[in-house]
């Protein structure tokens, strides 16, 4: 079946540090891949997405590349800020398009000033 | 745009009581979703409506849970009777489905439910 595996949190970084949050997936064919972010007290917001192999999604300084060969979609940011503190969810929708997101368990990021 | 609106934001109730959660989707969206988020199970889809019609309720955990969408601007999720294991954050999300494509889902802020 389809699944998403994220690295365990929490991840604690100092401001301006480099961020990587690992995400790998299991799915047949070519799913669409997403990163959602959840700020404290709020709902999930789409951060970026990629719909085909080798696509790079980017937004607000965050990037993730769809790697079919390693079934990965790792989230990176070159210099984190305190305001990036949140929970990050990796997700997929199976090939062919569907409303059913498969979410990872989420990774909490804490950035210290 | 106001975004997806949920009420109440927090609900504390006692076991056996009825709980009703409310959601107002983004105006113009034709798809609505209810999710439950817990530490143990993560984020789970409970039910999906399209054009006010329930399309997929396979995620509804048991008959104690019911959801309605009487019109395009309002939906409810009801738990009767509530149990402590229902304690979770419940999210409503909406999206615009166009020509068969499922577009980005916009989430509300959630309702944190505590059943004592």
């Amino acid at each position: 079946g389809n699944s998403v595996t994220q690295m365990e949190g929490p991840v604690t970084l100092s401001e301006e540090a480099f961020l990587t949050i690992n995400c790998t997936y299991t799915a047949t064919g070519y799913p669409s891949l997403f990163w959602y972010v959840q700020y404290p007290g709020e709902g999930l917001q789409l951060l970026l997405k990629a719909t085909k192999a080798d696509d790079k999604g980017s937004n607000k300084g965050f990037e993730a590349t769809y790697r079919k060969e390693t079934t990965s979609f790792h989230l990176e940011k070159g210099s984190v800020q305190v305001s990036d503190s949140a929970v990050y969810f990796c997700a997929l929708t199976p090939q062919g398009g569907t409303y059913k997101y498969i979410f990872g368990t989420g990774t909490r990021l804490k950035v210290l000033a | 745009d106001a975004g997806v609106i949920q009420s109440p934001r927090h609900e504390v109730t006692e076991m056996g009581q009825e709980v009703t959660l409310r959601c107002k989707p983004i105006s113009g969206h034709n798809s609505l979703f209810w999710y439950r988020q817990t530490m143990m199970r993560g984020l789970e889809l409970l039910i999906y409506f399209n054009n006010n019609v329930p399309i997929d309720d396979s995620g509804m955990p048991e008959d104690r849970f019911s959801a309605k969408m009487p019109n395009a601007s309002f939906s409810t999720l009801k738990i009767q009777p509530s149990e402590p294991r229902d304690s979770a954050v419940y999210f409503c999300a909406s999206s615009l489905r166009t020509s068969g494509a499922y577009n980005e889902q916009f989430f509300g802020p959630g309702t944190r439910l505590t059943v004592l």
Side-chain angles (χ1 to χ4, degrees), chain B residues 24-76:
Chain B
K24 177 179 170 55
I26 292 173
S27 177
H29 282 187
N30 55 13
S31 297
L32 184 137
F33 308 82
W34 282 101
Y35 290 86
R36 178 171 67 175
Q37 185 182 40
T38 62
M39 290 292 292
M40 291 297 295
R41 301 174 68 90
L43 205 60
E44 306 171 278
L45 177 65
L46 300 179
I47 188 167
Y48 158 54
F49 290 88
N50 184 247
N51 292 324
N52 313 337
V53 176
I55 304 299
D56 181 358
D57 65 355
S58 60
M60 297 286 264
E62 47 196 282
D63 291 346
R64 298 184 297 106
F65 286 69
S66 62
K68 294 182 180 179
M69 192 164 187
N71 57 61
S73 59
F74 184 66
S75 176
T76 59

Side-chain angles (χ1 to χ4, degrees), chain A residues 47-88:
Chain A
L47 181 59
L48 55 84
K49 67 179 181 182
T51 57
K52 58 182 190 290
D54 300 324
D55 264 4
K56 178 184 284 188
S58 61
N59 186 26
K60 300 181 181 180
F62 290 90
E63 293 182 339
T65 301
Y66 188 143
R67 301 285 189 202
K68 176 66 174 172
E69 63 276 14
T70 54
T71 62
S72 65
F73 193 55
H74 304 321
L75 182 68
E76 296 182 335
K77 187 176 185 183
S79 175
V80 293
Q81 305 300 312
V82 172
S83 58
D84 293 327
S85 298
V87 180
Y88 293 81

Side-chain angles (χ1 to χ4, degrees), chain B:
Chain B
D1 199 328
V4 176
I5 299 172
Q6 290 187 246
S7 64
R9 293 293 307 275
H10 302 273
E11 176 80 34
V12 180
T13 190
E14 293 190 346
M15 182 173 62
Q17 296 298 304
E18 177 179 296
V19 175
T20 299
L21 312 181
R22 297 172 176 79
C23 175
K24 177 179 170 55
I26 292 173
S27 177
H29 282 187
N30 55 13
S31 297
L32 184 137
F33 308 82
W34 282 101
Y35 290 86
R36 178 171 67 175
Q37 185 182 40
T38 62
M39 290 292 292
M40 291 297 295
R41 301 174 68 90
L43 205 60
E44 306 171 278
L45 177 65
L46 300 179
I47 188 167
Y48 158 54
F49 290 88
N50 184 247
N51 292 324
N52 313 337
V53 176
I55 304 299
D56 181 358
D57 65 355
S58 60
M60 297 286 264
E62 47 196 282
D63 291 346
R64 298 184 297 106
F65 286 69
S66 62
K68 294 182 180 179
M69 192 164 187
N71 57 61
S73 59
F74 184 66
S75 176
T76 59
L77 178 67
K78 185 178 293 186
I79 308 172
Q80 165 64 17
S82 59
E83 297 182 4
R85 60 196 170 108
D86 302 330
S87 297
V89 180
Y90 291 83
F91 289 103
C92 177
S94 71
S95 72
L96 178 63
R97 185 179 175 191
T98 56
S99 301
Y102 295 94
N103 298 306
E104 176 188 350
Q105 293 181 23
F106 293 82
F107 284 74
T111 296
R112 181 174 295 277
L113 173 65
T114 302
V115 183
L116 303 175

